[in-house]
Amino acid sequence: MQGKVSDMEGKVRNYQTKFKSVNQENEALRDTMVQRQSKMVEMEKELKNEYEEELQALSGVREELEKVSSDKSTLQKELSNLEGKYKVMETLRDSQETELQTLKLSVQESTLARVQGTLRDTEEEVRSLKETVAQQEDELHAGEMERRRLHNTIQELKGNIRVFCRVRPLVDGGLSKHIQLPASDVKTITLAKTEESHTGKTAETQKNYIFSFDRVFGPMASQQEVFEEISLLVQSALDGYNVCCFAYGQTGSGKTYTMEGAEYDQARGVIPRAVQQIFRAAEKLATQGWEFTFTASFVEIYNESLRDLLYTGKASKRPEHEIRKSTNNEVTITNLTYEKVSNEDQVLGLIALANQNRSTAQTAQNDRSSRSHSVFQLDIEGVNVGRDVKCKSTLCLVDLAGSERMLKSQSQGERFKEMTAINGSLSNLGIVISALANKESYVPYRNSKLTYLLQSCLGGNSKTLMFVNIAPESDSFGETLNSLRFASKVNDCVIGTASANRK
Ligand code: ADP
Ligand code: MG
């Protein structure tokens, strides 16, 4: 036990020593701590000073921050405000857009409706215009038919048989003394003859023969002027009436000049002018639904026999011709060339061919053309299908043989035969026209080839025009008197205006 107590006492001493060193150590640590505390206070002081500034600066920042955040909230408010406005605007825009769309649609609809309306109006207008056109076409047609009727009435009042006198100019111009044409009057011609007195007395030696006709053309009358009068009859031919135009007179009096004329424009005669008028008029009538067909023929009557002037075959094979009359009174010539023509140039070509044919038949001593009749015929057929009307007519233009009389002693053989044939056919022509004018029951058409050929163109509703051509030379006095007497006999029996007075 003692051991143990000594151990224990050792240990207590140990511990007491230890305690003493720990105490000492503690003392030292307390000092260090005090030191450190004061150091800390110092440091705290230092820090306090240092942070005071920073704090102050920080409070500035905070204020700023506060301001910024208040700004931010203001802005946010504003933003949300704007956003609200924007939303309103958007809705507004949307509604306006829809409104615009509806508006557009309605505008389109109204435009469409308006266009449709205009279209309807236009269609209506077109229909009414079409009606007007149809009505005007009817009126035009009625007008055309009325014009035809009136034109014919005028022609009939003027006389279905008319005689014109035409005096050829002297070769060196002027007018011969024995022919007098009063300036005031276009219907009278006076033939004056001063005869050598057999008894020596001068009284009663002056003889005046006064003739009046439907028209007298002096030597200055142009082809155009002459044609103007005939063009009315040419119109009648187109209207469906037969028309016959003759040139009568002694050889050299201007028959061929009147009927055919010369090549150059102003000198063109009745035939080319009539043909031109007909084709032009037909062209115009085509717009009113008329369709025309034209057939031309050209025949020569020499010594009472017929010759085709449009014949183009061999001379040795020339056929014979006969005049045939059909049951409907249409006259045709057998084996004759009937040429369909559709324009002026074709006809002019045929006239040239006829002239060539005629000249080959004559020799220097035998001027056959003056002793034969040449007959140009244009058959006109018009149809207006739409109106169901037709017209058919013939235009005959005849250059007669010279009317001069030959002394019997001078004419023998062939010449005598010719003379008899010419005299026969010309006087028969006078007789036929007189008979027609006097409405006699018997008309001797058959007495000559000329009247037989032309019978359908003479009489009835036909229009006949006789030109009496006069040569102004004083040595033609006798022939001139004969021609005027013949013509006035024809004229006289028609309307009674012609008179052959002998003073
Ligand atoms: P016909 O045929 O009667 O025998 P023509 O027509 O051949 O006569 O005429 C004879 C001549 O007189 C021709 O040279 C013709 O050119 C001319 N002649 C006829 N009439 C006229 C006239 N009105 N103006 C000018 N010359 C004409
Ligand atoms: Mg002639």
Side-chain angles (χ1 to χ4, degrees):
M1 237 330 242
Q2 258 232 338
K4 267 185 185 177
V5 169
S6 75
D7 269 353
M8 279 287 262
E9 276 170 351
K11 270 182 188 175
V12 168
R13 269 177 319 271
N14 227 355
Y15 276 123
Q16 269 170 343
T17 338
K18 254 185 191 172
F19 182 73
K20 247 185 221 166
S21 78
V22 164
N23 245 2
Q24 276 168 339
E25 214 171 304
N26 200 7
E27 246 357 82
L29 276 171
R30 198 174 283 156
D31 280 352
T32 312
M33 201 187 74
V34 166
Q35 260 173 3
R36 295 245 169 116
Q37 257 173 351
S38 76
K39 209 173 184 176
M40 212 170 77
V41 166
E42 230 169 89
M43 270 173 80
E44 237 169 44
K45 257 186 200 165
E46 247 170 62
L47 266 174
K48 211 178 180 182
N49 281 344
E50 212 172 291
Y51 286 117
E52 196 93 313
E53 279 172 30
E54 290 215 359
L55 255 167
Q56 232 152 12
L58 270 176
S59 93
V61 168
R62 196 206 284 140
E63 267 167 33
E64 226 165 89
L65 195 71
E66 265 164 19
K67 193 168 164 278
V68 165
S69 85
S70 108
D71 276 0
K72 185 187 153 197
S73 84
T74 321
L75 282 173
Q76 237 159 4
K77 257 187 218 157
E78 229 164 87
L79 180 69
S80 78
N81 196 359
L82 280 174
E83 267 174 353
K85 273 188 190 167
Y86 178 73
K87 279 242 172 66
V88 172
M89 296 290 266
E90 241 177 6
T91 356
L92 202 68
R93 191 203 61 198
D94 283 352
S95 87
Q96 277 180 347
E97 227 156 61
T98 357
E99 212 171 295
L100 188 70
Q101 225 55 43
T102 348
L103 212 68
K104 267 190 194 164
L105 207 69
S106 82
V107 164
Q108 277 172 351
E109 269 170 5
S110 81
T111 311
L112 188 68
R114 210 179 53 237
V115 168
Q116 275 173 338
T118 317
L119 188 68
R120 258 199 309 281
D121 287 354
T122 312
E123 275 172 352
E124 181 60 36
E125 209 171 302
V126 165
R127 205 177 38 246
S128 99
L129 277 175
K130 270 187 187 162
E131 258 169 41
T132 315
V133 166
Q135 197 186 326
Q136 280 176 344
E137 272 173 359
D138 285 350
E139 276 168 22
L140 197 65
H141 178 71
E144 167 64 16
M145 299 319 271
E146 179 65 1
R147 184 202 59 70
R148 287 187 183 193
R149 195 184 65 77
L150 289 174
H151 182 80
N152 191 49
T153 308
I154 292 167
Q155 298 316 307
E156 281 179 351
L157 285 172
K158 281 192 169 189
N160 273 352
I161 300 173
R162 263 174 262 178
V163 180
F164 290 177
C165 175
R166 186 181 196 185
V167 183
R168 168 171 68 72
L170 280 166
V171 175
D172 46 9
L175 184 63
S176 56
K177 278 196 227 107
H178 70 280
I179 294 174
Q180 291 154 13
L181 304 171
S184 59
D185 180 5
V186 292
K187 291 176 180 261
T188 315
I189 178 170
T190 303
L191 219 57
K193 170 114 178 168
T194 312
E195 281 175 4
E196 290 291 316
S197 171
H198 310 295
T199 57
K201 292 176 197 165
T202 50
E204 291 178 66
T205 53
Q206 174 89 13
K207 285 177 182 167
N208 277 346
Y209 304 88
I210 303 171
F211 298 91
S212 58
F213 298 104
D214 294 288
R215 184 73 201 259
V216 176
F217 294 100
M220 299 307 288
S222 67
Q223 296 283 64
Q224 165 67 25
E225 234 175 288
V226 170
F227 182 72
E228 267 163 31
E229 284 288 328
I230 307 158
S231 81
L232 299 172
L233 292 182
V234 174
Q235 182 61 56
S236 289
L238 264 173
D239 292 350
Y241 298 94
N242 291 335
V243 172
C244 241
C245 178
F246 300 97
Y248 180 99
Q250 71 180 109
T251 298
S253 60
K255 297 184 298 295
T256 305
Y257 185 83
T258 298
M259 297 313 280
E260 283 181 26
E263 288 267 318
Y264 62 99
D265 210 45
Q266 283 159 309
R268 293 178 340 134
V270 170
I271 298 178
R273 283 171 198 266
V275 164
Q276 183 183 56
Q277 182 184 342
I278 281 177
F279 283 115
R280 286 193 182 166
E283 221 167 85
K284 271 197 199 137
L285 282 169
T287 62
Q288 293 177 33
W290 286 91
E291 248 179 69
F292 283 93
T293 44
F294 301 98
T295 312
S297 62
F298 220 139
V299 67
E300 179 186 60
I301 303 173
Y302 175 71
N303 274 350
E304 288 300 279
S305 69
L306 303 166
R307 193 160 168 271
D308 185 359
L309 289 177
L310 302 182
Y311 179 73
T312 49
K314 277 190 184 153
S316 56
K317 291 198 173 151
R318 254 189 187 280
E320 299 277 306
H321 303 285
E322 263 177 72
I323 299 172
R324 289 269 164 81
K325 202 173 130 185
S326 67
T327 43
N328 57 351
N329 265 353
E330 267 179 41
V331 175
T332 50
I333 298 174
T334 58
N335 304 319
L336 191 75
T337 310
Y338 287 100
E339 200 78 51
K340 282 250 181 304
V341 286
S342 54
N343 62 58
E344 217 181 311
D345 287 342
Q346 282 179 331
V347 181
L348 297 182
L350 294 181
I351 293 170
L353 172 64
N355 282 332
Q356 208 181 321
N357 253 324
R358 228 180 313 178
S359 59
T360 54
Q362 69 187 37
T363 61
Q365 308 82 40
N366 180 9
D367 176 19
R368 184 165 144 154
S369 76
S370 69
R371 292 190 306 285
S372 64
H373 311 302
S374 77
V375 181
F376 169 77
Q377 281 190 292
L378 188 68
D379 295 319
I380 304 168
E381 266 192 87
V383 188
N384 193 330
V385 177
R387 308 274 169 189
D388 198 23
V389 265
K390 280 183 191 172
C391 63
K392 193 166 194 264
S393 59
T394 304
L395 173 69
C396 301
L397 303 167
V398 187
D399 190 348
L400 291 169
S403 60
E404 61 274 8
R405 321 271 147 140
M406 259 185 278
L407 289 175
K408 279 216 173 97
S409 60
Q410 282 175 4
S411 53
Q412 288 153 3
E414 197 58 23
R415 282 293 157 97
F416 182 75
K417 210 174 129 194
E418 280 176 355
M419 192 194 76
T420 317
I422 295 165
N423 288 347
S425 64
L426 288 179
S427 61
N428 194 55
L429 178 64
I431 290 164
V432 164
I433 294 176
S434 300
L436 286 169
N438 292 328
K439 301 206 161 42
E440 284 170 20
S441 57
Y442 176 70
V443 182
Y445 291 115
R446 278 183 172 265
N447 283 2
S448 74
K449 284 281 192 316
L450 180 68
T451 49
Y452 191 38
L453 169 63
L454 297 177
Q455 63 179 303
S456 62
C457 294
L458 296 165
N461 278 331
S462 306
K463 321 287 173 223
T464 303
L465 173 64
M466 169 89 77
F467 265 101
V468 53
N469 288 94
I470 298 297
E473 287 79 16
S474 55
D475 57 6
S476 291
F477 185 92
E479 286 305 329
T480 297
L481 188 57
N482 274 341
S483 292
L484 290 173
R485 279 175 173 160
F486 173 86
S488 72
K489 205 156 58 185
V490 169
N491 203 32
D492 208 17
C493 54
V494 184
I495 39 178
T497 53
S499 51
N501 298 329
R502 200 174 158 178
K503 279 186 188 165

